[in-house]
Amino acid sequence: MSSLFDPVQAGRLALANRIVMAPLTRNRAPGAIPTPLMATYYAQRASAGLIVTEATAISHQGQGYADVPGIWSEEQVAAWKPVTEAVHAAGGRIVVQLWHVGRVSHVDLQPGGQAPVAPSAITAKTKTVLIREGVPTFVETSTPRALDISELPGIVADYRRAARNAIAAGFDGVEIHGANGYLLDQFLRAGSNQRSDAYGGPIAHRARLLLEVVQAVSEEIGAGRTGLRLSPVTPANDASDPEPQPLFEHVVARLAPLGLAYLHVIEGATGGARDHQQGERPFDYAALRAAYRAAGGQGAWMVNNGLDRALAETSLSQGADLVAFGKAFIANPDLVQRLRAGGPFNAPDRSTFYGGDHRGYTDYPALAA
Ligand code: 8OZ
């Protein structure tokens, strides 16, 4: 049986251990431009086998929150370079999480103050964050407009450009954000997708946009440095589907031949109950992995949500290859060393999760040498 601290290969990514820093939104990139402080923050955490950056918008239209970074412009690419260089200098590996929020946005964040876009014109019952007069403020998301089918190739092209930009910025690869009720997940789930064209209705139609995006990104930078995050039952951002098991088994079976570096699965409600249920039966994660393997999928299997060392080891013993930690990495830059030592662990301060300065960001102490 492999240990948390053993090296592992995920596609073309050679990782020093199985401990992954999960993507964590921190809202410290004013104007969607990464900052030098972000380089310090990520470099402090470079002993993770892999860092997945905070969700990063592929286009202005893909933006849904104040002060989250983007990767659509030359200026953003230039600003990410010091981040990837700092992580590499510290011996780490880092992929950028590619994000289009779809309907989880607000007109104030959209180009020209337009409505956000979605599979269908259904408002998400969720909130986003704007900065009003310098103060982070929660607001209801705006009512979206349904994307015309003629616009979808442009969105796929935006993912492709973002992937190309990621490599230009020095990232080791990308993770496509297919989870948590954002655009690709909105297409997957019946609760947000009521289209009657080739991108809505039956499971194979609802999965089409996600698969086109994964295909395009894989063509652009190589499937061996492309990962994908899914969250089969999360209710985050008003995501809902009455039958997640066949939906996600279809998705992973269709992904299998593409040769992705890894699949990243959030088990349960994101940041909440691991046994959260949508539909009539508890979700069977072992069956999901079996469906991927049966279809020939060889990517690393990454699991996430509320793990501690014991649960992470159980996950590895049950067939996971990688385990992702979120809040623990916020508070413990040297989480790998602390897991090895059995603690102690700093406690995260929620009041500094979203927005602010270095406090609660780069000032959590490492263990004494
Ligand atoms: C917390 C706050 C804002 C965004 C996700 C990108 O849930 C997020 C996110 C999390 O995937």
Side-chain angles (χ1 to χ4, degrees):
M1 189 192 114
S2 51
S3 124
L4 283 172
F5 310 101
D6 289 344
V8 63
Q9 190 78 26
R12 283 167 60 184
L13 307 172
L15 309 180
N17 59 62
R18 290 159 188 271
I19 299 165
V20 176
M21 178 178 170
L24 294 157
T25 291
R26 305 303 309 273
N27 308 73
R28 282 166 168 85
I33 311 288
T35 68
L37 190 63
M38 288 166 59
T40 303
Y41 164 75
Y42 284 115
Q44 286 174 342
R45 288 156 180 78
S47 57
L50 179 67
I51 294 170
V52 184
T53 69
E54 61 207 280
T56 298
I58 60 161
S59 62
H60 188 171
Q61 183 196 69
Q63 277 282 30
Y65 298 83
D67 293 355
V68 297
I71 190 153
W72 67 85
S73 73
E74 292 299 319
E75 190 184 3
Q76 290 161 340
V77 170
W80 276 116
K81 276 185 189 155
V83 176
T84 61
E85 284 164 7
V87 170
H88 290 151
R93 297 272 184 279
I94 182 167
V95 297
V96 60
Q97 196 193 40
L98 301 185
W99 195 28
H100 189 308
V101 297
R103 65 180 181 162
V104 186
S105 188
H106 188 277
V107 291
D108 287 5
L109 297 164
Q110 288 291 304
Q114 297 171 65
V117 299
S120 302
I122 307 167
T123 311
K125 292 183 195 66
T126 187
K127 293 200 161 136
T128 181
V129 180
L130 301 179
I131 301 209
R132 285 186 167 154
E133 284 155 21
V135 184
T137 312
F138 283 94
V139 294
E140 301 286 339
T141 54
S142 303
T143 299
R145 70 174 177 85
L147 281 159
D148 190 84
I149 195 166
S150 66
E151 296 177 89
L152 299 181
I155 289 183
V156 175
D158 287 345
Y159 277 97
R160 193 187 272 275
R161 176 187 57 195
R164 188 164 59 241
N165 285 349
I167 299 307
F171 285 104
D172 297 292
V174 306
E175 173 174 293
I176 297 165
H177 194 342
N180 293 346
Y182 297 111
L183 183 71
L184 299 174
D185 203 23
Q186 288 158 30
F187 270 85
L188 288 178
R189 314 250 205 149
S192 43
N193 184 345
Q194 295 180 1
R195 300 176 72 93
S196 52
D197 62 11
Y199 291 84
I203 282 174
H205 285 194
R206 284 184 271 136
R208 191 183 308 276
L209 183 65
L210 172 75
L211 293 168
E212 286 179 358
V213 166
V214 175
Q215 180 80 47
V217 168
S218 298
E219 276 169 24
E220 192 64 35
I221 66 166
R225 43 187 185 177
T226 301
L228 171 67
R229 194 177 208 208
L230 297 171
S231 54
V233 301
T234 198
N237 294 310
D238 203 15
S240 75
D241 193 277
E243 270 199 294
Q245 194 80 41
L247 169 61
F248 284 91
E249 287 188 13
H250 170 85
V251 168
V252 299
R254 293 292 307 275
L255 290 168
L258 299 181
L260 292 181
Y262 68 85
L263 283 184
H264 182 178
V265 179
I266 300 172
E267 298 171 326
T270 311
R274 290 180 50 80
D275 60 357
H276 184 85
Q277 188 171 327
Q278 279 202 6
E280 287 174 6
R281 285 167 293 281
F283 194 86
D284 186 342
Y285 295 96
L288 184 70
R289 192 176 65 239
Y292 178 62
R293 297 288 182 230
Q298 294 179 355
W301 194 264
M302 185 190 300
V303 297
N304 172 235
N305 206 19
L307 300 179
D308 56 15
R309 179 169 174 168
L311 209 45
E313 283 172 343
T314 304
S315 296
L316 291 184
S317 74
Q318 292 173 348
D321 303 299
L322 293 164
V323 288
F325 294 84
K327 289 187 278 287
F329 258 116
I330 289 180
N332 299 278
D334 52 351
L335 183 65
V336 173
Q337 193 189 338
R338 288 172 188 261
L339 285 168
R340 211 187 261 281
F345 300 98
N346 302 319
D349 170 14
R350 283 184 179 273
S351 72
T352 51
F353 280 3
Y354 307 115
D357 54 20
H358 69 285
R359 285 169 291 180
Y361 192 55
T362 53
D363 63 353
Y364 285 104
L367 286 171

